[in-house]
Tab-separated table of all heavy atoms in Angstrom:
chain	number	residue	atom	x	y	z
H	219	LYS	N	-62.046	82.816	-119.359
H	219	LYS	CA	-61.119	82.461	-118.231
H	219	LYS	C	-60.119	81.397	-118.711
H	219	LYS	O	-59.020	81.349	-117.911
H	219	LYS	CB	-62.040	81.902	-117.136
H	219	LYS	CG	-62.701	80.630	-117.473
H	219	LYS	CD	-63.674	80.152	-116.254
H	219	LYS	CE	-64.525	78.944	-116.490
H	219	LYS	NZ	-65.254	78.507	-115.453
H	220	TYR	N	-60.363	80.686	-119.664
H	220	TYR	CA	-59.254	79.744	-120.178
H	220	TYR	C	-58.219	80.255	-120.932
H	220	TYR	O	-57.084	79.765	-120.979
H	220	TYR	CB	-60.076	78.568	-120.786
H	220	TYR	CG	-61.125	77.796	-119.991
H	220	TYR	CD1	-62.489	77.925	-120.370
H	220	TYR	CD2	-60.675	77.072	-119.052
H	220	TYR	CE1	-63.430	77.268	-119.657
H	220	TYR	CE2	-61.718	76.395	-118.351
H	220	TYR	CZ	-63.074	76.521	-118.633
H	220	TYR	OH	-64.000	75.836	-117.946
H	221	TRP	N	-58.460	81.444	-121.673
H	221	TRP	CA	-57.696	81.838	-122.718
H	221	TRP	C	-56.263	82.381	-122.334
H	221	TRP	O	-55.262	82.292	-123.114
H	221	TRP	CB	-58.388	82.842	-123.694
H	221	TRP	CG	-59.283	81.968	-124.568
H	221	TRP	CD1	-60.549	81.406	-124.401
H	221	TRP	CD2	-58.780	81.410	-125.887
H	221	TRP	NE1	-60.838	80.775	-125.437
H	221	TRP	CE2	-59.924	80.701	-126.282
H	221	TRP	CE3	-57.633	81.453	-126.520
H	221	TRP	CZ2	-59.769	79.876	-127.529
H	221	TRP	CZ3	-57.494	80.734	-127.829
H	221	TRP	CH2	-58.569	79.978	-128.299
H	222	PRO	N	-56.092	83.080	-121.198
H	222	PRO	CA	-54.836	83.467	-120.775
H	222	PRO	C	-53.866	82.267	-120.732
H	222	PRO	O	-52.686	82.401	-121.151
H	222	PRO	CB	-54.955	84.059	-119.523
H	222	PRO	CG	-56.326	84.756	-119.524
H	222	PRO	CD	-57.160	83.648	-120.281
H	223	PHE	N	-54.228	81.178	-120.223
H	223	PHE	CA	-53.491	80.021	-120.187
H	223	PHE	C	-53.189	79.393	-121.570
H	223	PHE	O	-52.070	78.916	-121.925
H	223	PHE	CB	-54.161	79.008	-119.151
H	223	PHE	CG	-54.397	79.513	-117.791
H	223	PHE	CD1	-55.671	79.963	-117.542
H	223	PHE	CD2	-53.475	79.614	-116.986
H	223	PHE	CE1	-55.979	80.407	-116.168
H	223	PHE	CE2	-53.617	80.169	-115.652
H	223	PHE	CZ	-54.988	80.505	-115.288
H	224	ILE	N	-54.366	79.364	-122.301
H	224	ILE	CA	-54.050	78.774	-123.668
H	224	ILE	C	-53.079	79.544	-124.525
H	224	ILE	O	-52.124	79.055	-125.190
H	224	ILE	CB	-55.480	78.690	-124.467
H	224	ILE	CG1	-56.369	77.706	-123.677
H	224	ILE	CG2	-55.246	78.414	-125.904
H	224	ILE	CD1	-57.858	77.732	-124.226
H	225	ILE	N	-53.206	80.957	-124.339
H	225	ILE	CA	-52.256	81.875	-125.256
H	225	ILE	C	-50.870	81.671	-124.770
H	225	ILE	O	-49.941	81.506	-125.577
H	225	ILE	CB	-52.750	83.233	-125.165
H	225	ILE	CG1	-54.025	83.324	-125.903
H	225	ILE	CG2	-51.641	84.268	-125.572
H	225	ILE	CD1	-54.741	84.852	-125.863
H	226	ILE	N	-50.611	81.719	-123.471
H	226	ILE	CA	-49.281	81.502	-122.901
H	226	ILE	C	-48.779	80.186	-123.245
H	226	ILE	O	-47.507	80.078	-123.618
H	226	ILE	CB	-49.331	81.661	-121.372
H	226	ILE	CG1	-49.562	83.193	-121.206
H	226	ILE	CG2	-47.876	81.467	-120.925
H	226	ILE	CD1	-49.761	83.610	-119.687
H	227	PHE	N	-49.631	79.080	-123.224
H	227	PHE	CA	-49.093	77.746	-123.447
H	227	PHE	C	-48.598	77.634	-124.916
H	227	PHE	O	-47.644	77.174	-125.246
H	227	PHE	CB	-50.148	76.765	-123.200
H	227	PHE	CG	-49.787	75.344	-123.571
H	227	PHE	CD1	-48.815	74.608	-122.795
H	227	PHE	CD2	-50.322	74.846	-124.693
H	227	PHE	CE1	-48.649	73.369	-123.135
H	227	PHE	CE2	-50.044	73.515	-125.174
H	227	PHE	CZ	-49.088	72.729	-124.404
H	228	MET	N	-49.651	78.266	-125.917
H	228	MET	CA	-49.294	78.045	-127.241
H	228	MET	C	-48.146	78.914	-127.632
H	228	MET	O	-47.334	78.457	-128.484
H	228	MET	CB	-50.528	78.427	-128.190
H	228	MET	CG	-51.698	77.440	-128.055
H	228	MET	SD	-51.300	75.743	-128.314
H	228	MET	CE	-50.735	75.814	-130.048
H	229	SER	N	-48.028	80.006	-127.075
H	229	SER	CA	-46.804	80.809	-127.393
H	229	SER	C	-45.530	80.077	-127.093
H	229	SER	O	-44.549	80.129	-127.879
H	229	SER	CB	-46.814	82.182	-126.603
H	229	SER	OG	-45.713	82.980	-126.769
H	230	GLN	N	-45.460	79.495	-125.925
H	230	GLN	CA	-44.161	78.818	-125.561
H	230	GLN	C	-44.001	77.434	-126.303
H	230	GLN	O	-42.896	77.135	-126.649
H	230	GLN	CB	-44.313	78.385	-124.080
H	230	GLN	CG	-44.252	79.589	-123.111
H	230	GLN	CD	-43.245	80.703	-123.462
H	230	GLN	OE1	-42.036	80.361	-123.499
H	230	GLN	NE2	-43.708	81.921	-123.807
H	231	TRP	N	-45.195	76.920	-126.669
H	231	TRP	CA	-45.037	75.583	-127.498
H	231	TRP	C	-44.396	75.921	-128.880
H	231	TRP	O	-43.641	75.249	-129.377
H	231	TRP	CB	-46.456	74.962	-127.709
H	231	TRP	CG	-46.548	73.946	-128.656
H	231	TRP	CD1	-46.116	72.674	-128.456
H	231	TRP	CD2	-46.936	73.982	-130.025
H	231	TRP	NE1	-46.277	71.919	-129.665
H	231	TRP	CE2	-46.797	72.747	-130.590
H	231	TRP	CE3	-47.317	75.090	-130.784
H	231	TRP	CZ2	-47.088	72.454	-131.873
H	231	TRP	CZ3	-47.689	74.868	-132.245
H	231	TRP	CH2	-47.492	73.506	-132.711
H	232	LYS	N	-44.824	77.045	-129.382
H	232	LYS	CA	-44.294	77.548	-130.683
H	232	LYS	C	-42.918	77.875	-130.696
H	232	LYS	O	-42.154	77.865	-131.607
H	232	LYS	CB	-45.266	78.543	-131.393
H	232	LYS	CG	-45.119	78.673	-132.894
H	232	LYS	CD	-46.276	79.545	-133.364
H	232	LYS	CE	-46.106	79.787	-134.861
H	232	LYS	NZ	-44.859	80.450	-135.297
H	233	GLY	N	-42.477	78.658	-129.534
H	233	GLY	CA	-41.225	79.443	-129.559
H	233	GLY	C	-40.152	78.819	-128.811
H	233	GLY	O	-39.034	79.302	-128.931
Side-chain angles (χ1 to χ4, degrees):
K219 61 183 178 181
Y220 301 109
W221 278 90
F223 304 101
I224 295 173
I225 286 174
I226 292 172
F227 175 80
M228 293 306 302
S229 171
Q230 298 310 303
W231 172 82
K232 194 171 185 294

